[in-house]
Amino acid sequence: MSGEVIYDSEKQIHTLSSRFVILYFFLGLLFFILLARLWHLQIIQGEQLRNVSVKNRVKQKKVLAPRGYILDREGRVLVDNTMVLQLTLNLQNLKEEERNLIAEKVGPILGMTSAQVREQIRRSIIKNGTFFPAVIADNLNFDQTLALKLLRLDHPSLNVEEFIFRSYPFGNSAAQMFGYISQVSRAQLNNSDVAGRGLSPGDMIGKKGLEKIWDHEIRGEDGLTYVQVDAHGRVTDIEETVLEGSNLAPIPPQSGHHLQLTIDQDIQEIANKAFQREDHIGQRIGALVALNKQGEILAWVSEPSYDSNQFLYGISSKDWNELIMHPFKPLRNKVIQDHFSPGSTFKVFVALAALEEDIIKPDTLMDSPGFFVLGRRRYHNHTRHGHGLVNVSTALETSSNVFFYKLAVGLNIDIMAKFARAFGLGVKTNVGIDHETPGLVPSRDWKLKNRGEEWQKGEDLSHAIGQGSLDVTPLQMALAYLAIGNEGKLYKPLLVKKVLASKNVNQSLQEFHPLMRYDMTEENNPSGLTIKKESFQAVKKGLWRVNNGERGTARWWKIPHVDMAGKTGTSQVRSFKADDIYSKCEDRKIEDRHHGWYVGYAPADNPEIAVAVITMHSCHGSTGSAPLARDVMEGYMRKYHPDLFVTDKKKIGMRND
């Protein structure tokens, strides 16, 4: 058959078989590669890939560590932590229109306007950007929480979370001493002091006071947890175990260490209450500090004050403006930051200088009329008619200006300054709170260097009664008077007593003890002065008479069965014409009224507590400040020596001889 092609079936099968072998080989090789890849993915990279998968479904979340407590000297909590519910808004992938809609719906639930909610969001964005949730409100109640949970069904960017909130149980009490905490700002994260501490946006750090100074010890170490999120990174309510088999184990936070202070809660409460006295002056403005006999601080008051909780997530513009525009500056720590002319409380240092420089003896008598003339100027006593013949103890009792004018003629500012500085005036106490100021004890050289003028003899007189350029802080004065009561022993102030372990408050990590800087009765002590005990005793006698003498300027204020000793003072806020000197202070505008001082100690013979009080614009130390000091001293004595207040007990104090 012509044209017919005849195939050899055996040859064809042989050819195809060889081709199939090659195909099967390649198919087998591909299958082997696939199995090997699957084995590599499942066995070699299985855990890693699972973690990647988990990370796509969960979000790492920092768990802030509870800050350590701040305790009083007896272990009672002064600054605490409490658990609250907090509303936050996840800003990632959230358009402005939706933010505004959420603000309109959230506002009524929280008792806020939508504008206030938007302002909270705006400030959070400025501070932390959009990658950190904005805190809208905290301390939510049950009804708010329920309403917000329902609202979250339509707006999953909202979250209601538990949060450990810093709590100040005693309100505004000693806020300037405790300070406050707040979120670290982006500017602070770039600060060299903060950058090396492993902080990130949203972390809380101490911004003022003890919270700032001891932040490293009381912050603790933050932990980590994981929450399930949706495709937009928003936390979901789905309950599902997503971490099994992964290495993403939560890390629990470790709370910070605790601070134990020398503060006595009972004395602190008495001091706070004293500033709220209901008398003709009313609520006081100023400062009070109380020390025990070794310089440990028992109470610390600066009024007006503020609520430290306001600063936790950034204080509102309205509240901030109210604080900074307040005429009496609640943000300033008046115990150490503000300084005032000491007025007549400075006379004790002039008296000691005159006794040690042999200008007078303890029994030297001087006439104290209503004024003293130097050159062509009259320097007035605080009473029109003067006090007659007085010695140094009586001059302190009656607060005779003329007596001290006459001492100033025999002394000079440099000698007075030397004695004042020996007692710590014009020098920082280094108590361990930020923004302490040294005050000022002027000298001839100081005036020439800073004002380009020579010192005038008349300035010696005004400075001898605590006016002029003298500036001191209440803490300096309390320490100085304690040194007088202790007859020369000047202590360094002590506020922090111990650092206690976070897990065991009975375990002390650091301890701090009272430190006496020097004893001025000893020769070659660091003060550069050696003061005789007889000089201290003459001055102490005068301070006893201030509260117990017939003409004492604070004779109305006493403690049953215990003698107080101290000195009142009037610090003029501006100079007055001769015709206005004796006008009634209370009739002046409040900004023109004198500040009132009282600094003293009890018992008079062997002090256990010293108190310095300044009340601004109260006109007189005898009525404005002395009663506050009396209340604090009496509270101390009743707590630590209740047996003295049994009616048949003998009074302790100082003999009037």
Side-chain angles (χ1 to χ4, degrees):
M1 186 182 304
S2 64
E4 184 178 353
V5 178
I6 301 173
Y7 292 97
D8 188 338
S9 60
E10 291 184 3
K11 184 178 180 180
Q12 186 178 18
I13 291 172
H14 178 75
T15 301
L16 290 175
S17 296
S18 61
R19 291 178 180 177
F20 275 120
V21 168
I22 295 173
L23 177 63
Y24 292 150
F25 173 78
F26 278 107
L27 286 176
L29 180 62
L30 289 174
F31 186 70
F32 175 79
I33 292 173
L34 179 62
L35 287 176
R37 181 58 177 163
L38 288 174
W39 178 82
H40 185 267
L41 292 175
Q42 292 285 346
I43 306 302
I44 303 300
Q45 290 188 300
E47 183 176 353
Q48 178 184 351
L49 294 175
R50 174 174 171 77
N51 289 336
V52 171
S53 173
V54 169
K55 286 180 180 178
N56 289 330
R57 300 169 58 196
V58 300
K59 181 178 181 181
Q60 180 177 287
K61 181 180 175 184
K62 181 179 286 190
V63 181
L64 298 181
R67 291 177 73 85
Y69 300 133
I70 300 180
L71 312 171
D72 87 333
R73 64 188 303 112
E74 297 178 9
R76 293 171 291 187
V77 177
L78 298 173
V79 178
D80 200 355
N81 299 312
T82 185
M83 187 72 73
V84 299
L85 291 173
Q86 183 181 75
L87 176 66
T88 62
L89 178 64
N90 185 359
L91 299 172
Q92 289 181 267
N93 304 310
L94 196 65
K95 296 181 180 179
E96 185 175 358
E97 295 79 7
E98 188 175 354
R99 293 204 301 261
N100 294 336
L101 177 62
I102 290 173
E104 291 179 4
K105 293 185 177 182
V106 164
I109 298 174
L110 300 175
M112 302 168 65
T113 65
S114 60
Q116 288 174 322
V117 177
R118 288 196 300 272
E119 175 64 13
Q120 287 284 89
I121 297 171
R122 185 187 70 83
R123 290 170 59 235
S124 177
I125 293 174
I126 292 173
K127 191 170 186 178
N128 298 314
T130 59
F131 292 98
F132 190 81
V135 177
I136 308 300
D138 46 49
N139 206 21
L140 304 174
N141 60 36
F142 176 79
D143 292 336
Q144 289 172 329
T145 302
L146 181 60
L148 292 169
K149 287 278 189 180
L150 293 174
L151 182 61
R152 188 178 182 279
L153 297 175
D154 296 323
H155 300 282
S157 295
L158 288 170
N159 292 300
V160 176
E161 303 173 283
E162 290 184 345
F163 179 75
I164 297 177
F165 198 85
R166 197 60 160 167
S167 172
Y168 299 85
F170 298 97
N172 297 356
S173 176
Q176 298 88 350
M177 179 188 73
F178 293 126
Y180 57 84
I181 67 171
S182 184
Q183 286 183 338
V184 62
S185 65
R186 283 187 285 186
Q188 286 176 311
L189 290 173
N190 296 325
N191 186 295
S192 58
D193 294 335
V194 177
R197 293 165 56 183
L199 298 172
S200 58
D203 285 349
M204 295 290 181
I205 63 169
K207 294 292 187 74
K208 294 288 183 182
L210 291 171
E211 296 277 24
K212 175 184 176 183
I213 302 299
W214 293 90
D215 185 74
H216 183 269
E217 285 78 9
I218 63 180
R219 266 198 78 243
E221 296 183 14
D222 297 331
L224 288 175
T225 188
Y226 299 89
V227 293
Q228 185 152 315
V229 296
D230 61 16
H232 297 288
R234 298 173 300 196
V235 177
T236 68
D237 289 329
I238 300 173
E239 295 284 344
E240 184 177 347
T241 302
V242 295
L243 300 180
E244 287 185 2
S246 74
N247 60 3
L248 302 179
I251 302 173
Q254 296 182 20
S255 62
H257 300 312
H258 313 294
L259 284 188
Q260 184 172 23
L261 307 184
T262 60
I263 294 290
D264 185 314
Q265 179 184 315
D266 299 319
I267 308 304
Q268 179 70 28
E269 289 179 349
I270 292 169
N272 287 329
K273 186 177 179 181
F275 266 75
Q276 317 302 321
R277 289 181 65 85
E278 297 179 1
D279 55 16
H280 71 285
I281 298 175
Q283 183 171 348
R284 274 29 173 212
I285 301 162
L288 179 153
V289 61
L291 313 170
N292 72 4
K293 60 185 178 182
Q294 293 182 306
E296 295 183 357
I297 298 173
L298 302 174
W300 184 299
V301 178
S302 179
E303 287 289 341
S305 189
Y306 60 86
D307 183 358
S308 297
N309 289 308
Q310 289 178 291
F311 294 88
L312 191 59
Y313 280 101
I315 189 169
S316 69
S317 299
K318 176 177 177 292
D319 290 340
W320 176 251
N321 287 333
E322 287 180 358
L323 288 175
I324 62 174
M325 298 302 292
H326 194 291
F328 299 118
K329 305 183 187 317
L331 290 172
R332 291 184 68 84
N333 194 335
K334 294 178 176 61
V335 173
I336 58 170
Q337 191 175 2
D338 282 353
H339 41 80
F340 310 87
S341 295
S344 292
T345 60
F346 189 74
K347 292 174 179 176
V348 293
F349 310 109
V350 180
L352 285 168
L355 289 165
E356 287 298 313
E357 296 292 319
D358 289 327
I359 304 297
I360 58 170
K361 301 294 183 185
D363 56 355
T364 299
L365 293 175
M366 290 187 185
D367 186 29
S368 176
F371 60 88
F372 178 78
V373 178
L374 180 68
R376 290 182 287 179
R377 179 177 174 182
R378 281 190 175 190
Y379 293 81
H380 294 268
N381 211 330
H382 72 88
T383 62
R384 290 180 184 273
H385 305 293
H387 300 97
L389 289 173
V390 294
N391 61 19
V392 65
S393 297
T394 308
L396 289 170
E397 173 189 359
T398 58
S399 200
S400 166
N401 285 349
V402 170
F403 184 91
F404 288 93
Y405 293 149
K406 292 181 176 181
L407 295 187
V409 173
L411 297 167
N412 61 57
I413 187 60
D414 290 337
I415 294 175
M416 290 187 283
K418 180 171 67 172
F419 277 80
R421 290 181 185 133
F423 284 88
L425 304 188
V427 181
K428 288 184 180 181
T429 68
N430 295 320
V431 66
I433 300 289
D434 47 346
H435 303 302
E436 182 179 12
T437 55
L440 175 63
V441 176
S443 64
R444 296 174 187 272
D445 290 342
W446 171 86
K447 185 179 180 185
L448 187 62
K449 180 180 178 180
N450 289 274
R451 298 184 179 175
E453 300 173 358
E454 294 288 343
W455 191 269
Q456 302 299 313
K457 189 60 182 175
E459 293 178 277
D460 289 338
L461 274 62
S462 60
H463 285 76
I465 62 168
Q467 303 294 340
S469 300
L470 283 165
D471 278 319
V472 298
T473 66
L475 181 57
Q476 288 173 351
M477 292 301 288
L479 290 163
Y481 268 66
L482 180 63
I484 292 173
N486 285 331
E487 298 184 1
K489 297 179 178 65
L490 181 68
Y491 281 90
K492 186 180 183 297
L494 184 64
L495 179 58
V496 176
K497 198 175 183 69
K498 295 178 182 179
V499 178
L500 303 173
S502 59
K503 297 181 180 179
N504 182 5
V505 294
N506 295 317
Q507 180 185 354
S508 178
L509 302 179
Q510 286 180 275
E511 293 190 17
F512 306 93
H513 302 283
L515 176 65
M516 186 175 71
R517 293 176 58 190
Y518 44 76
D519 185 341
M520 282 174 271
T521 63
E522 296 178 351
E523 294 185 1
N524 301 318
N525 70 78
S527 74
L529 292 173
T530 302
I531 301 177
K532 297 186 294 293
K533 284 188 174 290
E534 292 78 7
S535 298
F536 280 115
Q537 290 164 0
V539 169
K540 287 179 67 175
K541 185 176 179 180
L543 297 180
W544 177 85
R545 287 182 173 179
V546 169
N547 285 94
N548 302 282
E550 293 181 358
R551 294 190 288 173
T553 56
R555 60 187 179 276
W556 304 276
W557 309 109
K558 297 178 173 63
I559 304 173
H561 314 298
V562 181
D563 277 351
M564 292 172 58
K567 185 74 187 74
T568 59
T570 300
S571 173
Q572 294 183 353
V573 296
R574 70 176 185 86
S575 59
F576 293 93
K577 297 179 180 179
D579 295 340
D580 294 332
I581 289 176
Y582 299 114
S583 63
K584 190 175 181 181
C585 175
E586 289 80 359
D587 292 339
R588 299 172 183 151
K589 294 184 295 184
I590 186 169
E591 61 266 23
D592 291 337
R593 296 175 190 171
H594 309 316
H595 301 330
W597 276 99
Y598 180 90
V599 192
Y601 49 83
D605 59 343
N606 185 21
E608 292 190 27
I609 181 173
V611 181
V613 186
I614 184 166
T615 49
M616 298 172 63
H617 307 296
S618 64
C619 286
H620 311 288
S622 58
T623 54
S625 297
L628 281 64
R630 187 279 312 270
D631 290 351
V632 172
M633 292 183 193
E634 181 174 350
Y636 174 92
M637 298 305 295
R638 287 187 180 276
K639 175 176 180 176
Y640 290 98
H641 300 285
D643 55 307
L644 294 176
F645 295 87
V646 179
T647 55
D648 60 349
K649 290 289 182 182
K650 183 179 179 180
K651 185 174 185 178
I652 64 170
M654 178 177 286
R655 293 186 298 114
N656 183 18
D657 54 9

